[in-house]
Amino acid sequence: MAYEDYRVLPVQKGNVQCLKDKKEPVENCCFCIHCREFLVKGRFLMSPSLAYCTKCRITERVNVSQAEAVKCADHQGEGFHSITSIIS
């Protein structure tokens, strides 16, 4: 998926509209395989969920309580999918 094809999900009251009929707490995005970046103070920061990606290996912390939006790579409609099922 091309970088510009990611969905940008606004954070509203600490939640993102992950699926049409389902909201998720923005904190869950830190552990989701679809999460790519968080918009914090006008700047996109790579998601901590990419720490286990052999290509990215991101280790930066993100203060998700200040997140304004989330870049999401889910175009299949899977919704939240925990990285723990992959790394355990």
Side-chain angles (χ1 to χ4, degrees):
M1 175 181 311
Y3 181 80
E4 60 273 0
D5 292 336
Y6 295 148
R7 296 185 308 151
V8 178
L9 309 174
V11 177
Q12 298 174 330
K13 297 182 181 177
N15 295 301
V16 293
Q17 192 74 45
C18 190
L19 297 173
K20 187 176 183 176
D21 59 345
K22 180 144 177 130
K23 291 183 180 180
E24 289 283 345
V26 71
E27 292 86 6
N28 285 2
C29 297
C30 289
F31 304 102
C32 182
I33 63 169
H34 302 296
C35 185
R36 295 297 180 261
E37 297 180 357
F38 290 91
L39 179 63
V40 178
K41 297 183 179 181
R43 192 173 136 227
F44 278 103
L45 304 171
M46 298 297 277
S47 172
S49 67
L50 298 173
Y52 297 99
C53 173
T54 56
K55 182 179 177 185
C56 300
R57 303 231 184 213
I58 302 302
T59 58
E60 184 175 2
R61 287 189 176 254
V62 175
N63 186 347
V64 294
S65 67
Q66 295 180 346
E68 304 159 43
V70 174
K71 276 194 182 174
C72 177
D74 179 16
H75 283 287
Q76 302 291 326
E78 293 179 354
F80 174 75
H81 189 122
S82 177
I83 61 171
T84 58
S85 63
I86 296 169
I87 61 173
S88 59

